[in-house]
Amino acid sequence: MSRFLCALLPLLVLSCADSGGPVAVDAQWNLSCPSSGVGCGSWAQETCIGNGGQREIVAEHGQAACDGDQIIARCVAVDQSDGTRKLTLEANIGDRFAFELRGATVDSGGSVEQTACNVTIIEDEVPYDVGACGQEPPSVDQPCQLSNISVEGSEVIFGLECDSLLSSVTDLGLDVGALGGGPTPIRFANCSGF
């Protein structure tokens, strides 16, 4: 019995917020070919999380998603000694599809520091994960821009736009944003550490 509890404890810590409820995610994004001349990554036209280049993970941690896989949703903020918070946000469906934001350092005014901030989109098991993220418009050094960051209670909302987010596996890239262009809104609720 103690082995079972030890194995179960990390899952409970990752999936539950301070309030005891499951982490909820509303992440919708559109994939398109980079306009920068970088080779275009591929995506399936029909998937369990959307068709064409449109993708959507709108669920709570543990809900059934695709072909028996469950949504793994994680949203954690760690307070830093300088008054900022370091965020880790994840919405994964097995190893096939995911949205992840790691290491974003957000100050009390909602500003993001570029240091160690990284966005990963996993599409058909291929990670697109090369490059930093921050508040500045997308560039070669920082392909992903986070905008309009709002942290209220245990919820974080922001806009995301990536130009030529490269894969560490294929050296191909994808643009990530809203259908029709611009940033797409991402929302995580019932986060821990807020």
Side-chain angles (χ1 to χ4, degrees):
M1 179 64 125
S2 64
R3 284 186 196 174
F4 175 74
L5 289 175
C6 289
L8 187 59
L9 184 59
L11 181 60
L12 293 173
V13 168
L14 290 177
S15 66
C16 294
D18 292 336
S19 66
V23 172
V25 61
D26 183 348
Q28 301 175 45
W29 64 93
N30 189 65
L31 305 173
S32 57
C33 289
S35 57
S36 66
V38 171
C40 188
S42 64
W43 60 86
Q45 288 300 308
E46 293 185 29
T47 73
C48 58
I49 65 167
N51 297 325
Q54 297 176 20
R55 300 293 182 256
E56 177 178 286
I57 300 176
V58 180
E60 291 182 346
H61 175 83
Q63 283 185 325
C66 304
D67 304 325
D69 285 334
Q70 291 183 339
I71 300 285
I72 304 299
R74 181 176 173 223
C75 179
V76 177
V78 177
D79 289 329
Q80 305 296 299
S81 60
D82 62 0
T84 61
R85 290 180 171 153
K86 190 164 285 216
L87 303 179
T88 300
L89 311 173
E90 300 177 18
N92 299 296
I93 301 173
D95 294 330
R96 295 182 293 159
F97 301 102
F99 165 83
E100 299 174 355
L101 171 68
R102 296 179 189 278
T105 302
V106 179
D107 68 21
S108 59
S111 296
V112 180
E113 298 174 12
Q114 185 174 343
T115 310
C117 181
N118 191 61
V119 170
T120 299
I121 298 290
I122 297 177
E123 178 65 27
D124 280 339
E125 298 182 8
V126 177
Y128 293 85
D129 56 354
V130 176
C133 54
Q135 273 188 207
E136 300 302 316
S139 66
V140 172
D141 292 329
Q142 181 206 288
C144 294
Q145 179 183 29
L146 306 179
S147 59
N148 300 320
I149 298 169
S150 170
V151 177
E152 292 186 26
S154 64
E155 179 178 84
V156 61
I157 301 170
F158 58 94
L160 171 71
E161 183 176 11
C162 301
D163 291 346
S164 301
L165 182 62
L166 299 177
S167 171
S168 57
V169 176
T170 67
D171 292 329
L172 300 174
L174 294 172
D175 284 355
V176 181
L179 185 63
T184 187
I186 305 286
R187 176 183 167 269
F188 279 77
N190 296 328
C191 300
S192 62
F194 284 80

